[in-house]
Amino acid sequence: MVDYFKMSIYQVDSLIALLQQAYTNILARRLRSFLAVLGVVIGSSSVVALLYCGELATISVISKLSELGTNLISVSVMGSFHNKTLTESHVKNIVANIPEISYASPLAFSYENSYLNGVKLGAAVVGVSSDLTHIADLSISSGRFISRFDQDEYCVVGSKIAAKAGENILGSQIKYGSHYCTVIGVLKSVKVNFFVPVDFDNGILLPVNILQSINEANAIRDVVFSLKSSDDVEKVERTLRIAFKRNFPRAKTFFRNPKELISKVVEQKQQLSILLSLIGSISLIVGGIGIMNIMLVSVVERKREIGLRLAIGASPRDIRLMFLVEATLLSLIGGALGIIIGVGISFVAANVAAWEFKILILPLLLGFGVATFVGIFFGFYPAYSASCLNPVEALRVE
């Protein structure tokens, strides 16, 4: 045990001596070392910045999708209903048989122009149910939301519509097509929700049954469901597919849920990371070739030193290790500087793109690890060439 401990101390001392010598040789050739390191700096900073930005962008997208609610399912219904119109009653009947669903709101769209006091609003007229307040987290700034008990043409308008009115819009009449609706509520500004295809801030919301009774062309094309638990998303989606297929066999349904989107984002991120790593690695390879070139020149210049070391008892392994440590140290210096620059670039990009910046370990480890590998890989051949020199011939070099 004592002998093993002494051997370990000797190996550590030898490594420290090699590092000190390599550092001295690098300083002795500052400009050449700087040019050799520059390629590795560019390569490692590219790898770190590309991977870091890709990771931050993915985190931002997943965070925004999660904010919308991971317990939502939306379905778009297209094609022929075979003389059978999808109504709010159909949706209620489907939901009644699926206890995992908390709320459901069908969405019917009218494409007729809307006017307020003769001024064209350019707003979307949408038929919804009262459940939508829970699904899309809608809040009322004044008045009230539409109710399933409303039998007249009442409507709720978005914040931008209310701003266009320039006055208290409650009680005003909005004309859409040949019909009028009375404004009974104004929504607070609402974030865009991928699962509810409605621009609420610039929308006019009516009870879906009222909108459909006015014009059969105002068909329900989307239904949004809110589940009691996000764990039931896959199960409920399978059940809904069967229910829609049974009720509307000729219609085509397209389902969307946050879990599916998040998994696709993660999958695309992984593929993008591989692509970005390959792009950044090209710069690292160029940097590695630069290190190899510098080390080969160094071997030629230091032939007498190599011959002298071999003559006084250094083994080829010692010579090989000496040059390999120097090449690796060059690469590590370039990798460290590249990581600092890469993180700086990522910080700037995160602020510009409004991403949340955080310290990520994996891109840093990959950048540093690849830089180390480049130093060892491209430094091995010069080191091997130095260790193969004949000491007699090396000492004869002028």
Side-chain angles (χ1 to χ4, degrees):
M1 177 65 74
V2 174
D3 292 339
Y4 177 78
F5 183 69
K6 287 181 179 179
M7 188 180 297
S8 300
I9 292 176
Y10 173 75
Q11 289 173 345
V12 171
D13 289 341
S14 299
L15 181 59
I16 292 173
L18 284 171
L19 287 171
Q20 288 174 341
Q21 188 175 27
Y23 180 70
T24 302
N25 288 329
I26 290 171
L27 286 181
R29 301 166 181 83
R30 288 184 178 84
L31 180 59
R32 187 187 299 174
S33 300
F34 170 75
L35 294 175
V37 166
L38 188 60
V40 178
V41 171
I42 294 172
S44 58
S45 62
S46 299
V47 171
V48 171
L50 290 172
L51 291 177
Y52 218 108
C53 288
E55 193 74 27
L56 290 176
T58 302
I59 291 172
S60 177
V61 171
I62 291 175
S63 175
K64 288 178 180 178
L65 286 174
S66 299
E67 286 177 4
L68 299 178
T70 55
N71 63 330
L72 299 181
I73 296 177
S74 66
V75 56
S76 297
V77 187
M78 305 294 180
S80 171
F81 290 99
H82 192 49
N83 298 324
K84 186 178 182 182
T85 303
L86 176 60
T87 64
E88 187 178 18
S89 297
H90 288 124
V91 174
K92 288 181 178 178
N93 290 334
I94 291 173
V95 171
N97 297 316
I98 308 176
E100 293 84 0
I101 295 178
S102 298
Y103 303 101
S105 176
L107 305 174
F109 297 87
S110 172
Y111 299 98
E112 297 172 309
N113 291 325
S114 54
Y115 299 87
L116 176 63
N117 299 327
V119 178
K120 187 176 180 179
L121 295 175
V125 180
V126 188
V128 303
S129 75
S130 57
D131 280 3
L132 193 62
T133 56
H134 304 284
I135 297 171
D137 194 23
L138 303 181
S139 298
I140 294 291
S141 64
S142 60
R144 68 172 178 86
F145 198 73
I146 55 176
S147 166
R148 61 189 177 91
F149 299 107
D150 290 332
Q151 297 300 317
D152 294 321
E153 293 181 43
Y154 294 136
C155 65
V156 173
V157 299
S159 57
K160 290 182 180 179
I161 300 297
K164 288 178 183 178
E167 57 185 28
N168 186 5
I169 197 173
L170 293 180
S172 299
Q173 295 283 312
I174 292 179
K175 181 182 180 182
Y176 61 102
S178 58
H179 296 268
Y180 290 86
C181 62
T182 303
V183 178
I184 60 170
V186 177
L187 291 173
K188 292 182 180 178
S189 184
V190 184
K191 290 182 179 179
V192 176
N193 192 320
F194 178 82
F195 303 97
V196 185
V198 178
D199 180 3
F200 290 107
D201 290 347
N202 201 38
I204 301 169
L205 309 183
L206 285 84
V208 64
N209 58 325
I210 298 294
L211 191 64
Q212 279 196 298
S213 65
I214 292 171
N215 189 342
E216 291 184 358
N218 300 332
I220 294 173
R221 293 298 180 184
D222 294 275
V223 186
V224 187
F225 302 91
S226 176
L227 279 56
K228 295 176 182 177
S229 171
S230 59
D231 297 333
D232 299 322
V233 167
E234 289 84 359
K235 174 187 174 183
V236 172
E237 183 174 318
R238 288 193 298 269
T239 306
L240 286 172
R241 286 181 185 275
I242 295 171
F244 275 96
K245 188 68 176 177
R246 182 175 60 249
N247 287 277
F248 305 98
R250 293 193 179 184
K252 294 181 180 180
T253 54
F254 302 91
F255 286 83
R256 297 180 298 277
N257 71 70
K259 284 190 173 182
E260 181 182 353
L261 285 175
I262 289 173
S263 65
K264 287 181 179 179
V265 168
V266 172
E267 182 182 349
Q268 290 177 352
K269 189 269 293 184
Q270 292 172 344
Q271 295 174 352
L272 185 63
S273 296
I274 294 172
L275 177 62
L276 295 177
S277 299
L278 290 174
I279 293 172
S281 297
I282 294 173
S283 300
L284 270 174
I285 291 172
V286 173
I289 293 172
I291 289 178
M292 178 185 283
N293 184 42
I294 295 300
M295 294 308 298
L296 285 172
V297 172
S298 181
V299 170
V300 174
E301 288 181 344
R302 297 163 63 186
K303 272 189 177 182
R304 286 181 64 83
E305 178 192 341
I306 296 167
L308 183 60
R309 287 177 180 274
L310 290 169
I312 62 176
S315 66
R317 178 180 175 275
D318 295 331
I319 300 299
R320 188 163 56 246
L321 191 59
M322 180 179 70
F323 280 90
L324 196 57
V325 168
E326 187 173 329
T328 304
L329 185 58
L330 276 171
S331 189
L332 288 176
I333 292 171
L337 291 173
I339 286 173
I340 295 171
I341 295 172
V343 172
I345 293 171
S346 303
F347 180 77
V348 173
N351 280 288
V352 171
W355 300 330
E356 180 187 357
F357 183 81
K358 56 179 65 178
I359 299 299
L360 303 174
I361 302 300
L362 185 58
L364 305 184
L365 290 177
L366 283 174
F368 201 72
V370 173
T372 305
F373 172 77
V374 165
I376 295 172
F377 181 80
F378 286 97
F380 180 79
Y381 178 72
Y384 177 76
S385 300
S387 68
C388 292
L389 288 176
N390 186 304
V392 177
E393 293 180 358
L395 286 170
R396 288 176 179 171
V397 175
E398 295 293 334

